[in-house]
Amino acid sequence: MDPKMPQDTQSCLNYLSKLEGVAQDILLDKEQIVSYSRRSNSLREAKRALEADLKKDPPSSKTWMCFGNIFIKCPKTKALNIVEKDQTLIDEEINTLRNNLKPKVDNMRNLEGKPEHPFNLKPLSKDEVNAMKKILHNTM
């Protein structure tokens, strides 16, 4: 029998409710990541469309933007800046959620009595990737 598994009914219920709470928190974060990713894709599409329009039209031309329930006509260059800033903020939020997800999963594995995941890998930053490219390019 697992030493982490409680013996009496009340402690078993407490254990399961704690485990359920952690699992629910993980699922909410994953759903939020999916939602932000969809929003990020929409912003990416809007950015591409604005960039294409700016190549055809003069920079002073205007476009309609939706802010909540309001449509506002603004210059395309300003709209592009707004879309880029929103894209940056959403990407930062996605990265924050992903970074916070790993400790939550480790906590759940710990509660379940499973060993920690053997790999706790983190992706390379852009600076690290560029440095690796330079090193590999110089050695070849």
Side-chain angles (χ1 to χ4, degrees):
M1 181 174 236
D2 187 1
K4 293 211 180 231
M5 189 65 179
Q7 301 300 321
D8 63 67
T9 307
Q10 185 59 42
S11 61
C12 185
L13 286 174
N14 290 340
Y15 166 77
L16 290 174
S17 66
K18 186 175 181 179
L19 188 62
E20 180 71 23
V22 172
Q24 186 68 29
D25 196 27
I26 291 169
L27 287 175
L28 286 173
D29 282 356
K30 286 184 175 185
E31 287 177 16
Q32 191 69 32
I33 289 170
V34 169
S35 174
Y36 281 147
S37 293
R38 286 187 181 127
R39 174 94 172 114
S40 178
N41 288 337
S42 296
L43 288 169
R44 200 173 295 118
E45 290 173 13
K47 181 181 172 185
R48 266 190 249 123
L50 283 168
E51 287 171 342
D53 282 351
L54 280 170
K55 287 180 182 177
K56 292 186 277 184
D57 300 335
S60 61
S61 61
K62 294 188 175 190
T63 188
W64 288 97
M65 285 193 69
C66 180
F67 294 100
N69 294 333
I70 301 171
F71 282 91
I72 298 175
K73 197 170 191 176
C74 66
K76 288 183 181 178
T77 53
K78 183 161 179 99
L80 184 61
N81 286 341
I82 291 170
V83 167
E84 287 173 343
K85 286 179 185 175
D86 281 355
Q87 180 77 41
T88 303
L89 290 173
I90 286 178
D91 288 344
E92 288 173 3
E93 189 63 31
I94 289 172
N95 288 334
T96 301
L97 283 169
R98 284 183 179 151
N99 290 337
N100 291 338
L101 198 60
K102 290 178 185 180
K104 291 177 183 180
V105 171
D106 286 341
N107 182 28
M108 190 172 91
R109 289 179 63 83
N110 186 28
L111 286 173
E112 290 174 332
K114 295 180 181 176
E116 270 191 38
H117 210 290
F119 299 108
N120 195 7
L121 303 176
K122 294 182 182 176
L124 296 175
S125 69
K126 287 183 180 179
D127 293 335
E128 292 169 330
V129 169
N130 290 335
M132 289 299 295
K133 285 180 182 178
K134 286 180 184 176
I135 290 170
L136 291 174
H137 186 352
N138 290 337
T139 60
M140 292 183 168

